[in-house]
């Protein structure tokens, strides 16, 4: 099969992006729309959901994807208004500081539901319809670099993100015979409204010594990888986690020394 530039286009496809009201989700939703997909944003925050949907011409549905009944209702409305969903981006998630010795059962459950449970709910609901109709599709799970490395103070979050990676592999095997591909994206430091706010405005777009490319990522770079995985350009890729991280995973602890700029492994 010869490569054709049109293979990257998503024209005529329907894409759902969870947590698409801001940050990486909003960037991916905008990218999907720019490449021709009809996009539905499923976002818990009604205000950011409406703003994001209006800005890119998407269908915005205020939905808590941790709730199966809300997921079912959102999917039904999406299908009625846009058509059958063949692209699903499970991007919704959340994190808070939770040291191992202080993590409560409620805290653990909250992080699990925010970062892993909805991946099952949304994937299951969308792919059940695709299998029944005999249609192909692409599921893209947004995990994190924290899913493959230790994350002191964030054990529950990291465990959930690691779960997303393994779930991606297993779901890919189960759904491959139905021509539904499942893959994941793992970002590291990415410039989003939330991270900029957490940094007190000190985060720079041109400096990040802990990342080999020496800068944080941009939401558009996540969107580019998501579009690739959604399109026919990745038709033989399944069960993979692509690290959109500027080389962090490969670095394995090597970083740019802030004074010399040279690579250094661990503290001097």
């Amino acid at each position: 099969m010869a490569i054709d530039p049109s293979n990257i286009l998503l024209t005529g496809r329907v894409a759902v992006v969870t947590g698409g009201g801001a940050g990486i989700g909003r960037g991916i939703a905008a990218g999907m729309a720019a490449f021709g997909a009809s996009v539905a944003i499923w976002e818990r925050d009604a205000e950011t959901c409406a703003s994001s949907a209006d800005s890119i011409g998407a269908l915005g549905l205020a939905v808590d994807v941790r709730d199966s009944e809300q997921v079912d209702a959102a999917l039904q409305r999406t299908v009625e208004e846009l058509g059958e969903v063949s692209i699903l981006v499970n991007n919704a998630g959340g994190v808070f500081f939770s040291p191992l010795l202080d993590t409560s059962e409620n805290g653990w459950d909250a992080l699990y539901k925010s970062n892993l449970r909805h991946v099952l709910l949304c994937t299951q609901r969308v792919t059940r319809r695709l299998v029944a109709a005999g249609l192909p599709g692409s599921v893209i799970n947004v995990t994190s670099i924290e899913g493959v490395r230790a994350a002191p103070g964030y054990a529950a979050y990291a465990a959930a993100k690691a779960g997303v990676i393994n779930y991606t592999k297993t779901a890919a095997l189960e759904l491959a015979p139905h021509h539904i591909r499942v893959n994941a994206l793992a970002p590291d430091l990415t410039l989003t409204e939330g991270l900029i706010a957490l940094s007190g405005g000190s985060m720079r777009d041109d400096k990040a010594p802990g990342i080999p490319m020496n800068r944080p990522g941009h939401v558009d770079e996540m969107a580019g990888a998501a579009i690739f995985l959604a399109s026919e350009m990745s038709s033989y890729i399944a069960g993979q986690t692509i690290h959109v991280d500027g080389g962090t995973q490969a670095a394995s602890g090597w970083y740019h020394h802030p004074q010399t700029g040279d690579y250094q492994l661990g503290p001097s």
Side-chain angles (χ1 to χ4, degrees):
M1 179 179 70
I3 295 176
D4 190 295
S6 66
N7 290 345
I8 196 68
L9 297 179
L10 307 176
T11 308
R13 312 245 331 254
V14 176
V16 165
V17 181
T18 70
I24 289 172
R26 181 170 181 158
I28 290 175
M32 295 279 178
F35 276 72
S38 298
V39 177
I41 291 172
W42 296 359
E43 164 65 52
R44 184 173 53 165
D45 186 297
E47 185 175 344
T48 60
C49 180
S51 173
S52 181
D54 288 346
S55 71
I56 66 175
L59 170 66
L61 300 179
V63 53
D64 186 341
V65 292
R66 298 170 299 182
D67 184 301
S68 59
E69 291 184 359
Q70 291 191 44
V71 169
D72 289 337
L75 179 56
Q76 185 62 39
R77 184 173 168 190
T78 299
V79 171
E80 289 172 354
E81 297 198 24
L82 300 180
E84 204 66 65
V85 176
S86 65
I87 301 167
L88 170 64
V89 182
N90 288 310
N91 167 76
V95 63
F96 52 81
F97 186 64
S98 183
L100 175 66
L101 298 181
D102 300 328
T103 300
S104 66
E105 292 181 30
N106 286 340
W108 175 276
D109 290 345
L111 287 163
Y112 155 71
K113 289 179 180 178
S114 293
N115 295 286
L116 183 55
R117 184 174 190 265
H118 70 88
V119 175
L120 165 65
L121 293 179
C122 294
T123 301
Q124 186 183 65
R125 267 54 175 190
V126 168
T127 59
R128 276 175 177 169
R129 294 183 62 98
L130 291 175
V131 169
L135 297 173
S138 176
V139 177
I140 302 158
N141 300 321
V142 177
T143 179
S144 168
I145 184 67
E146 311 303 351
V148 296
R149 70 179 181 188
Y154 298 92
Y157 171 78
K161 289 303 187 182
V164 172
I165 293 171
N166 195 279
Y167 180 81
T168 296
K169 293 178 181 179
T170 303
L173 295 187
E174 292 194 25
L175 294 172
H178 302 286
H179 307 290
I180 299 169
R181 297 180 297 107
V182 186
N183 293 287
L185 297 175
D188 186 10
L189 186 65
T190 305
L191 281 173
T192 63
E193 304 95 311
L195 279 180
I196 292 171
L198 283 174
S199 73
S202 64
M203 184 181 292
R204 293 172 51 179
D205 61 4
D206 63 346
K207 198 70 173 175
I211 296 175
M213 291 184 72
N214 208 26
R215 65 170 177 84
H218 192 277
V219 295
D220 289 344
E221 292 169 315
M222 284 290 292
I227 291 162
F228 168 70
L229 288 177
S231 76
E232 286 303 302
M233 292 293 285
S234 61
S235 60
Y236 203 54
I237 298 177
Q240 301 302 307
T241 295
I242 298 177
H243 287 260
V244 188
D245 63 4
T248 300
Q249 187 204 23
S252 300
W254 288 90
Y255 73 103
H256 294 287
H257 190 280
Q259 276 74 52
T260 67
D262 294 334
Y263 273 118
Q264 179 173 304
L265 181 61
S268 58

